[in-house]
Amino acid sequence: MTVERIGPPMAADERATLRGFLDYHRATLARKCEGLDDEQLRRRASPPSTLSLLGLVRHMAEVERAWFRRTINREDIPLVWSEHGDFQAAYDADASSRAEAFAAWQAEMAAARRIEEAAPSLDITAPHAKTGEPVSLRLVMQHLIHEYARHNGHADLIREAIDGTVGA
């Protein structure tokens, strides 16, 4: 099954544009993982680093959860893979599977979409978990776009090392 990736709108308001870019980058990471088995998805980019495609999926599930559910929605919930709030723990996917990681990631993206859609404005704020400083939904969406774009660059290189696939 091919992951559908729709580009962001060429002429839209700020919210629709941010939403479009975020969904585009989410789909890009999914496409980088397409057609690979669990072993390939767990393959480390550059040992001893634990970075792998599956680790990136797990990490992005944590990032979605932290920013949308824990920050914007103020839910008192732990991270998925770290009892101590260590986002790096998600990168170690040695004992993980596509089914487990993608289920968590899909659930966090769905929650993030619900939270964003229910927000009356991009200007709503919530206290940052570490500093208490107000953080806007606008900043959260821009941060997630930045985070996905950065890690999709990693995913490009990892995928090419696995089977030579480039682009898309």
Side-chain angles (χ1 to χ4, degrees):
M1 179 172 132
T2 302
V3 174
E4 182 180 12
R5 184 177 64 177
I6 299 170
M10 297 300 281
D13 66 19
E14 180 184 20
R15 194 166 188 169
T17 300
L18 289 172
R19 192 181 288 153
F21 270 103
L22 186 50
D23 282 339
Y24 177 85
H25 282 293
R26 287 167 170 155
T28 297
L29 182 55
R31 285 178 75 157
K32 292 297 170 185
C33 298
E34 199 169 50
L36 299 176
D37 62 28
D38 284 4
E39 180 183 332
Q40 290 170 313
L41 289 169
R42 285 190 297 264
R43 190 170 302 160
R44 292 180 176 196
S46 182
S49 169
T50 58
L51 186 64
S52 66
L53 288 172
L54 205 55
L56 287 174
V57 168
R58 288 166 43 112
H59 174 72
M60 291 313 301
E62 296 283 41
V63 171
E64 297 260 6
R65 183 181 190 97
W67 283 103
F68 283 100
R69 293 181 63 190
R70 293 176 67 178
T71 300
I72 294 297
N73 219 36
R74 301 177 190 198
E75 294 178 35
D76 185 17
I77 55 173
L79 292 175
V80 181
W81 289 284
S82 173
E83 296 175 17
H84 308 293
D86 178 8
F87 284 85
Q88 301 302 310
Y91 286 129
D92 186 354
D94 286 349
S96 189
S97 69
R98 170 190 284 275
E100 173 207 28
F102 273 76
W105 185 40
Q106 294 293 332
E108 295 306 327
M109 287 188 293
R113 286 184 180 105
R114 283 192 304 275
I115 292 163
E116 183 271 318
E117 289 170 2
S121 158
L122 292 173
D123 296 323
I124 66 160
T125 62
H128 187 276
K130 292 181 182 171
T131 67
E133 183 179 356
V135 177
S136 71
L137 177 58
R138 176 181 290 103
L139 179 130
V140 167
M141 292 183 74
Q142 289 174 340
H143 177 74
L144 266 282
I145 292 165
H146 161 82
E147 187 90 6
Y148 272 104
R150 177 175 176 240
H151 290 310
N152 282 339
H154 298 136
D156 282 336
L157 296 172
I158 296 168
R159 179 62 189 253
E160 185 175 5
I162 291 170
D163 66 359
T165 299
V166 297

